[in-house]
């Protein structure tokens, strides 16, 4: 992983042909450090047993993401822009977890190689997240992900050929959609540099932009295209692979996909009507629906783009966007959040309990997407929900202890754990950034982003004393 990351570190300089890469030396040094440590690790473990037991997989997954976030911060820290360690680690963590929160302003005039590195980070983070959700988390039985287990989620000799086939399919789909996004943006009027950056971050549902205005810099056509690509990035990529292998229709038969699309159909329409009724100025229905659909999609998919300050749309919009930050996309996508399937499982449990109150002796079946839902999956989901809310509470209290106001503390903790990007309020809302926060808050939020991307339970397990006893 470290050697591969070092190769990616050379891309900003190569793509910009050196002439407009003022931080070429910083990237060279960063790539050299990552490559050296990676090669040393390869040599040290050459021909040793690679039996990946669950305990080793927990350590590999958690430590891998945290260490890569540190390496990802090196080009920022070693550049000539006087970026502090806290800012560099925050930006690197936000990039690799596809959160999209940023501490930088003046993006329109920022060094292009650093802008490109931010986008590349989110792109490689996106494919890493897909692989983790498809193969690793179901195997580790984290947060109810066992529900999506396939033969490729088992690390056995028989499953490895299937895992390789699935991995190639996922990478192919991811690259084709990314190239399509880049070309589409370019043909719609973006410069090739803007199109490349936004194409990578749209599919990764990352949200890093090349302008302080984010996507507000572009016209309605580009906003609609970005909405489409954010939706695609939030759908289960393994279903795209199944579609390519002849299983036509599986994508839209999936329950989480149908609910996800229903939310994006209903909520923006109702919110546009609300804005129409309360607007004191002449209202352009088409433009405002486009802006509403774009920003709602950006928050639900945890992308983090913004075309305008949606927190100023009124009290209802403010509250609605806060709760939309919990939702997230589908499992097996690049999106963060609590994921659609957990809300659906909660409704199934609620319906089951109501039926048991009415018919105590009834024999009830519990199915999701045609598969039986075991008590183990339900217990894992409940544990995830509890630890998520507990972490949200503790992080909010910790941020408030650093003299941040309630809205900034709560929405900052939430946006980190759900990997949304911007928070709410005047400081970290869609019109602001995280640069003015104290360094302690930046370190805490960066760790929160990584915990949220790793489904929290993975980190909690590794940090528990019982994990290390035997």
């Amino acid at each position: 992983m470290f050697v591969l990351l070092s190769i990616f570190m050379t891309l900003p300089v190569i793509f910009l042909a050196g002439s407009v890469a003022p931080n070429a030396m910083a990237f060279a040094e960063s790539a050299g450090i990552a490559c050296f440590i990676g090669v040393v690790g390869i040599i040290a473990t050459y021909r040793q047993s690679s039996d990946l037991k669950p305990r080793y997989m927990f350590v590999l997954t958690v430590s891998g993401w945290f260490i890569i976030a540190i390496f990802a911060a090196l080009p920022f820290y070693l550049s000539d822009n006087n970026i502090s360690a806290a800012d560099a680690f925050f930006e690197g963590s936000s990039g690799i977890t596809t959160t999209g929160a940023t501490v930088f302003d003046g993006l329109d005039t920022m060094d292009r190689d650093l802008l490109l590195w931010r986008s590349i980070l989110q792109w490689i983070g996106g494919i890493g997240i897909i692989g983790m959700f498809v193969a690793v988390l179901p195997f580790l039985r984290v947060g109810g992900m066992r529900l999506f287990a396939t033969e490729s989620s088992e690390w056995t000799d028989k499953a490895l050929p299937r895992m390789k086939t699935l991995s190639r399919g996922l990478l192919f789909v991811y690259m084709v959609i990314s190239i399509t996004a880049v070309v589409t943006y370019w043909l719609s009027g973006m410069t090739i540099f803007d199109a490349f950056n936004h194409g990578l971050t749209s599919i990764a549902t990352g949200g890093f932009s090349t302008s302080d205005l984010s996507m507000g810099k572009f016209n309605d056509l580009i906003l609609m295209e970005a909405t489409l690509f954010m939706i695609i990035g939030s759908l289960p990529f393994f279903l795209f692979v199944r579609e390519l292998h002849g299983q036509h229709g599986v994508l839209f038969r999936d329950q989480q996909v149908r609910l996800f699309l229903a939310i994006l159909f209903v909520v923006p329409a109702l919110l546009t009507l609300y804005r129409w009724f309360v607007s004191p100025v002449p209202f352009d229905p088409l433009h405002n629906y486009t802006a509403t659909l774009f920003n709602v999609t950006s928050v639900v998919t945890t992308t983090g783009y913004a075309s305008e300050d949606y927190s100023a749309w009124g009290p209802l919009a403010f509250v609605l966007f806060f709760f939309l930050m919990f939702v997230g996309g589908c499992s097996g996508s690049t999106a963060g959040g609590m994921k659609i399937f957990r809300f659906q499982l909660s409704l199934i449990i609620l319906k089951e309990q109501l039926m048991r109150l009415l018919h105590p002796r009834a024999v009830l079946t519990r199915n999701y997407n045609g598969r039986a839902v075991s008590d183990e999956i339900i217990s894992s989901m409940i544990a995830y929900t509890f630890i998520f809310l507990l972490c949200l509470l503790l992080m909010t209290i910790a941020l408030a202890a650093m003299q941040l106001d309630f809205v900034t503390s709560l929405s900052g903790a939430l946006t980190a754990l759900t990997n949304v990007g911007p928070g709410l309020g005047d400081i970290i809302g869609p019109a602001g950034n995280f640069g003015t926060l104290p360094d302690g808050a930046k370190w805490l939020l960066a760790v929160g982003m990584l915990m949220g991307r790793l489904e929290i339970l993975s980190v909690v397990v590794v940090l528990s004393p019982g994990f290390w006893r035997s």
Side-chain angles (χ1 to χ4, degrees):
M1 288 189 294
F2 301 154
V3 172
L4 185 60
L5 184 65
S6 71
I7 296 172
F8 278 106
M9 284 178 174
T10 65
L11 296 184
V13 179
I14 293 173
F15 287 165
L16 296 174
S19 59
V20 285
N23 302 291
M25 185 56 67
F27 281 101
E29 292 172 352
S30 302
I33 293 171
C35 186
F36 174 77
I37 295 177
V39 171
V40 168
I42 292 172
I43 295 173
T45 58
Y46 183 64
R47 289 188 174 177
Q48 291 189 14
S49 173
S50 58
D51 182 19
L52 292 174
K53 297 177 181 178
R55 188 179 299 264
Y56 303 155
M57 285 296 296
F58 273 112
V59 174
L60 175 65
T61 302
V62 174
S63 63
W65 279 84
F66 272 83
I67 296 173
I68 285 178
I70 295 173
F71 284 152
L74 286 177
F76 301 117
Y77 183 68
L78 297 176
S79 70
D80 297 327
N81 293 270
N82 296 319
I83 299 171
S84 68
D87 286 351
F89 183 65
F90 183 97
E91 202 75 10
S93 300
S94 180
I96 203 66
T97 60
T98 72
T99 301
T102 184
V103 293
F104 297 149
D105 55 14
L107 297 177
D108 300 85
T109 56
M110 190 173 178
D111 294 341
R112 289 186 136 200
D113 48 5
L114 294 182
L115 290 175
L116 194 54
W117 176 236
R118 295 162 82 240
S119 301
I120 291 173
L121 267 182
Q122 292 200 326
W123 190 82
I124 61 179
I127 189 63
I129 289 159
I130 295 170
M132 185 177 69
F133 275 105
V134 169
V136 178
L137 293 184
F139 170 70
L140 297 179
R141 294 174 166 82
V142 171
M145 289 296 171
R146 191 66 181 169
L147 185 63
F148 302 97
T150 65
E151 292 181 42
S152 299
S153 302
E154 298 296 344
W155 290 72
T156 62
D157 291 339
K158 292 182 179 179
L160 286 178
R162 284 184 172 272
M163 185 180 295
K164 291 177 180 177
T165 301
L166 179 59
S167 299
R168 286 195 294 267
L170 291 173
L171 183 59
F172 173 77
V173 170
Y174 192 68
M175 292 190 69
V176 167
I177 298 176
S178 300
I179 293 171
T180 303
V182 171
V183 173
T184 301
Y185 285 146
W186 180 52
L187 293 177
S188 299
M190 280 190 183
T191 65
I192 188 63
F193 181 76
D194 285 342
F196 187 80
N197 281 274
H198 289 92
L200 298 189
T201 58
S202 295
I203 297 305
T205 60
F208 275 156
S209 181
T210 57
S211 171
D212 288 335
L213 296 175
S214 189
M215 294 295 279
K217 178 181 177 181
F218 306 107
N219 58 40
D220 285 354
L221 173 62
I222 291 178
L223 293 186
M224 291 301 294
E225 293 168 350
T227 300
L228 175 62
F229 290 124
M230 287 189 290
I231 292 173
I232 292 173
S234 301
L235 299 178
F237 273 71
F238 61 89
L239 293 183
F240 290 135
V241 177
R242 290 175 61 184
E243 291 276 359
L244 286 178
H245 283 81
Q247 301 181 39
H248 302 304
V250 293
L251 181 64
F252 294 104
R253 288 198 299 268
D254 188 88
Q255 285 183 232
Q256 57 175 341
V257 172
R258 292 204 298 266
L259 178 58
F260 173 72
L261 295 178
I263 291 172
L264 295 182
F265 175 78
V266 174
V267 174
L270 295 178
L271 188 55
T272 302
L273 289 175
Y274 164 76
R275 293 181 63 198
W276 196 347
F277 288 133
V278 301
S279 176
V281 296
F283 193 84
D284 182 349
L286 182 59
H287 168 74
N288 284 278
Y289 175 73
T290 300
T292 304
L293 176 63
F294 172 83
N295 287 285
V296 167
T297 302
S298 179
V299 171
V300 172
T301 62
T302 71
T303 303
Y305 286 143
S307 64
E308 54 188 271
D309 186 3
Y310 48 75
S311 61
W313 288 354
L316 176 62
F318 189 93
V319 172
L320 188 60
F321 274 104
F322 173 78
F323 286 106
L324 288 175
M325 291 168 70
F326 284 90
V327 179
C330 301
S331 177
S333 70
T334 62
M338 294 187 71
K339 302 293 187 301
I340 294 291
F341 82 93
R342 291 194 176 100
F343 293 94
Q344 292 177 309
L345 289 183
S346 299
L347 290 174
I348 291 173
I349 297 170
L350 176 61
K351 180 180 178 181
E352 180 181 306
Q353 291 303 310
L354 292 175
M355 291 298 294
R356 289 193 186 282
L357 291 174
L358 295 173
H359 308 284
R361 298 183 179 180
V363 178
L364 304 175
T365 58
R366 189 192 296 147
N367 293 295
Y368 181 79
N369 268 340
R371 303 182 67 173
V373 180
S374 65
D375 290 337
E376 175 198 357
I377 291 172
I378 297 299
S379 299
S380 182
M381 184 202 72
I382 293 173
Y384 166 83
T385 304
F386 173 77
I387 199 68
F388 176 90
L389 295 175
L390 180 61
C391 287
L392 177 62
L393 171 65
L394 295 177
M395 285 188 64
T396 302
I397 293 174
L399 291 171
M402 299 178 194
Q403 303 304 307
L404 299 179
D405 64 87
F406 175 73
V407 172
T408 301
S409 300
L410 179 58
S411 66
L414 179 58
T415 195
L417 291 172
T418 56
N419 305 116
V420 171
L424 296 172
D426 297 330
I427 300 175
I428 61 172
N433 62 50
F434 291 73
T436 59
L437 299 186
D439 283 354
K442 294 173 185 174
W443 286 107
L444 178 62
L445 290 172
V447 171
M449 295 176 205
L450 290 161
M451 291 182 65
R453 183 46 75 193
L454 292 167
E455 296 284 302
I456 302 177
L457 280 172
S458 303
V459 182
V460 173
V461 166
V462 173
L463 293 178
S464 63
F467 180 83
W468 300 97
R469 284 191 185 127
S470 54

